[in-house]
Amino acid sequence: MHRAGGLWRRRRRPGNGAALGTGPGTGPGAEADPGLVRASSPEVERRLRGLASVRRDFLKPGEAAELLRELEPVLGRRPYQFDHWDGAICGYRETERGRWGGAARAVLGRVAAAAFPPGRPPLPLVHVLDLHPRGHVRPHVDSVKFCGCTIAGVSLLSPSVMRLVSCRAPGQWLELLLEPGSLYVLRGAARYDFTHEILRDEESFFGGCRVPRGRRLALICRNAPHDTTPEPVGDSSAFIGGTETELSPPQPPNKQ
């Protein structure tokens, strides 16, 4: 398993310039990057293999700039908030958006193809979450009232570390290194049986590697709940979301 040392540095895009998430291997079972995942044990890694994954360089060159150009005028009108209606986020501003320009529509189409199972497409509204450099997302399980079997997010601006912790056994965890331009996907047990969080700057390590946190922007897609959706096994359910017009207002494990 990958162990980093020192300070996180962005890796170069592969020489052929191809972005992950394009081409034939883009469905829900497509190969992710194991170097961006570390777990508390081989058993946890095996249990969540294919259920919690990251794909490096999902965005093509120029797409991140196009997304930011579209979102900055909307987000820039809103102050950061340091509380949240259900306590799940600190230091954020957010919106839900259903109307997008051409570049964003192309990205979201690839997210739908890469992350979501047949017959369970993402909801039309995309959750845009803008985290302040001092902001973080606390451990939570997305409410089954609002979210189905799959959560997928495209990361922009700052790298960050997402930590998943078992609701039944807090000593079992898995961490994802979310580089700018990457796509993460949570489904199945990773979505229902583990909390997930974005670490605050002072806790932002991936193995022995310091991952400095700056401002982080994420486009988060979820599919609709299903009639047979299982209830989460923990009690930390939350729905993190807002609207395009007006918004509603277990301790993490020691670093290994």
Side-chain angles (χ1 to χ4, degrees):
M1 187 175 297
H2 178 68
R3 290 290 188 274
L7 190 69
W8 174 88
R9 286 182 171 82
R10 179 71 183 268
R11 294 189 181 183
R12 291 182 180 272
R13 183 180 298 272
N16 61 9
L20 293 177
T22 63
T26 60
E31 187 70 19
D33 191 331
L36 302 180
V37 179
R38 60 186 299 268
S40 57
S41 69
E43 292 73 22
V44 172
E45 192 277 332
R46 284 194 295 269
R47 180 186 177 192
L48 297 184
R49 187 178 298 158
L51 303 179
S53 60
V54 190
R55 303 186 197 184
R56 175 182 278 123
D57 291 329
F58 183 80
L59 294 182
K60 299 176 183 178
E63 286 181 329
E66 288 295 325
L67 291 170
L68 290 171
R69 189 174 297 115
E70 186 165 346
L71 291 170
E72 290 287 21
V74 177
L75 296 168
R77 296 195 296 265
R78 302 178 178 192
Y80 286 101
Q81 302 179 56
F82 285 84
D83 56 5
H84 188 264
W85 62 274
D86 62 8
I89 324 177
C90 175
Y92 73 101
R93 51 193 181 187
E94 63 182 345
T95 188
E96 285 185 328
R97 191 170 178 87
R99 297 186 302 273
W100 296 92
R105 288 198 302 271
V107 170
L108 295 172
R110 295 206 314 275
V111 171
F116 290 86
R120 302 294 304 275
L123 291 163
L125 290 179
V126 177
H127 179 200
V128 181
L129 180 61
D130 182 350
L131 274 185
H132 188 276
R134 298 196 308 274
H136 61 281
V137 179
R138 299 184 177 100
H140 69 282
V141 177
D142 283 36
S143 172
V144 296
K145 296 178 181 178
F146 304 104
C147 177
C149 63
T150 303
I151 303 167
V154 175
S155 300
L156 300 171
L157 298 177
S158 170
S160 61
V161 177
M162 175 179 283
R163 177 183 290 153
L164 284 68
V165 178
S166 170
C167 297
R168 295 187 186 276
Q172 297 180 5
W173 53 264
L174 183 133
E175 291 177 341
L176 307 177
L177 177 58
L178 307 182
E179 298 180 336
S182 66
L183 171 73
Y184 73 84
V185 182
L186 305 179
R187 59 171 66 92
R191 179 263 183 270
Y192 294 113
D193 299 343
F194 283 68
T195 63
H196 62 277
E197 62 188 297
I198 296 293
L199 301 184
R200 66 184 79 208
D201 179 59
E202 55 267 32
E203 298 175 349
S204 188
F205 288 83
F206 187 74
C209 184
R210 173 85 168 100
V211 183
R213 265 285 320 283
R215 179 188 173 206
R216 176 180 186 268
L217 198 63
L219 278 64
I220 305 168
C221 300
R222 302 171 172 93
N223 55 6
H226 194 274
D227 291 341
T228 58
T229 296
E231 290 291 335
V233 297
D235 59 359
S236 53
S237 295
F239 173 66
I240 303 177
T243 67
E244 186 66 12
T245 53
E246 198 65 33
L247 299 179
S248 304
Q251 295 300 313
N254 293 329
K255 292 187 286 290
Q256 301 295 315

